Amino acid sequence: MYIPARFNGPPGSGNGGYSAGLFAHGETAEVTLRMPPPLDTPLSVLDCQVRTADDAVVAEVAANAEVDTVVPPIGWADAVEAAKWYAGFADHPFPTCYVCGPDRSDGLGIFPGRLADGSTAAPWTVPDDVSTPTVWAALDCPGGWAVIAAGRPYVLGRIAVRVDRLPAPGQQCVVRGALASAEGRKALVHTTLYASDGAELARARATWIALPG
């Protein structure tokens, strides 16, 4: 397998959610990233580890992970309003991120704005090429933006995802994110993907790591 260059997060490496979804092979699983996922690089899976050709461990995959927390749904119109206040429009550590980068015209265009309770919400119109890794990607950044602050960038360290069903191309969805806890450089977040009628499509639990200042 390999991660095409368009699915980047930070410059030069794969978006954490998309990469993890690719590594999980569509399963309900937990993926721990051990290094920034390399782009356009052949990768192989051996004994639940994703490795490069020179045997560097990129990620570890554990199957059948439990994801037991959801972020409550809100309506599409409320998500659209929240996105107007997306902090990444003014200050984004990785503005070309495939999921939430405002400088991308070919990304997912998910711009999670903060609500009064500190949780995030974003509308998402599902692309034609939707896949399970796409859904993992959509569940990634909205959780991060519940903790990311100006001058305090975070990156994904671990993510567990349960996908109940894929959204249809063109479907209007809402992605919700919330901070569960933070200690030192680590933050635990939850995200949930909903159809426009409020039906749950997928959920995630993730650990984000603050980059050294």
Side-chain angles (χ1 to χ4, degrees):
M1 75 178 77
Y2 71 99
I3 306 164
R6 69 178 290 251
F7 299 113
N8 68 285
S13 63
N15 169 265
Y18 184 90
S19 302
L22 188 67
F23 301 157
H25 293 289
E27 301 293 334
T28 295
E30 182 174 75
V31 176
T32 301
L33 300 175
R34 295 302 183 191
M35 61 179 285
L39 298 170
D40 287 335
T41 300
L43 302 170
S44 59
V45 180
L46 179 64
D47 296 331
C48 297
Q49 291 185 328
V50 180
R51 295 175 178 266
T52 63
D54 59 2
D55 215 31
V57 177
V58 177
E60 296 172 348
V61 181
N64 302 317
E66 292 292 331
V67 185
D68 55 10
T69 300
V70 297
V71 187
I74 66 170
W76 171 267
D78 290 332
V80 170
E81 181 63 26
K84 295 177 182 177
W85 305 101
Y86 175 46
F89 288 142
D91 185 0
H92 198 302
F94 312 117
T96 61
C97 173
Y98 165 68
V99 176
C100 66
D103 290 356
R104 288 290 293 268
S105 61
D106 62 341
L108 295 186
I110 296 175
F111 304 131
R114 291 261 183 102
L115 301 178
D117 64 359
S119 66
T120 67
W124 179 40
T125 300
V126 179
D128 291 341
D129 61 348
V130 63
S131 64
T132 299
T134 311
V135 171
W136 280 61
L139 290 165
D140 178 11
C141 300
W145 281 100
V147 67
I148 293 170
R152 182 71 164 167
Y154 280 72
V155 293
L156 184 68
R158 177 180 295 135
I159 186 168
V161 170
R162 190 186 87 186
V163 178
D164 293 330
R165 61 185 173 94
L166 292 183
Q171 186 174 0
Q172 291 183 329
C173 296
V174 172
V175 196
R176 297 277 280 122
L179 174 65
S181 63
E183 182 177 358
R185 292 176 54 208
K186 291 185 178 181
L188 177 66
V189 303
H190 299 287
T191 50
T192 311
L193 175 65
Y194 293 99
S196 57
D197 63 0
E200 182 186 336
L201 300 175
R203 63 176 72 173
R205 178 189 69 249
T207 300
W208 283 66
I209 310 296
L211 296 178

